[in-house]
Amino acid sequence: MESRDLFAAACLVFGIAMVMLKLHYGPGARQRKAVTSPTIGRGWIVVSGLTAAQVEAILADFAKLYDLPAATFAVKGAGAVVQVSWTRPITTDIALFLVNFLTYPADQTLPDAQPLAVGVIPVPAGIAPDGVAADTLAKIFVPEGDTEHDLVHALVEDGRAFRISFTRMKWQSVTRPQTPAFAARVAFALEG
């Protein structure tokens, strides 16, 4: 009788494990839906370490992943730095995710160096941290030495820095923003 109960328990555990694997790795599992977030109509991202063609391929993957129209993003430049802008308003979280996605592009053959991406966005009132006025410009970037791969840092014009984890999407103050040299060279401006 014990072996029958043990067998039933093993089958139950196996069934639960299979359902969890199916949910995690099955069709549509890679598609993530963005949480409700304020929209921004203006902003841009500069990318170093990727060609314009690579950036366009990454943007196409990103658009599919987030169920966005393919024409949501525009690419300018063909040299060492490529600029990405959006052709229609996008949610703030999409802009933050995109900076991270361009830094850590999935399924892309990369050059020897890690790509760098820095965005400049106006901070919407709905997510502005305490003491930061709505529409204050913020640079968005993956912090130097990042090992988490699911966050960005924000630096506002007055020098204050914030950590934004994708699990909470809350702007948490940090004393040291770990700003890459590339991000330090990007201007606080809505035009690149």
Side-chain angles (χ1 to χ4, degrees), residues 40-44 86 88-89 120-122 189-191:
I40 50 176
R42 296 177 59 200
W44 54 285
W86 32 97
R88 57 182 52 98
V120 177
I121 64 166
L190 285 179
E191 298 300 323

Side-chain angles (χ1 to χ4, degrees), residues 54-66 68 70 73 101:
Q54 286 173 311
V55 170
E56 288 173 351
I58 292 166
L59 291 172
D61 290 347
F62 185 83
K64 284 183 207 170
L65 186 63
Y66 288 96
L68 298 168
F73 303 105
F101 200 80

Side-chain angles (χ1 to χ4, degrees), residues 35 97 127 150 163-172:
V35 294
F97 295 160
I127 63 167
D150 66 348
R163 177 185 192 276
I164 307 164
S165 170
F166 295 158
T167 56
R168 295 190 53 207
M169 294 305 291
K170 182 175 168 78
W171 292 49
Q172 298 173 309

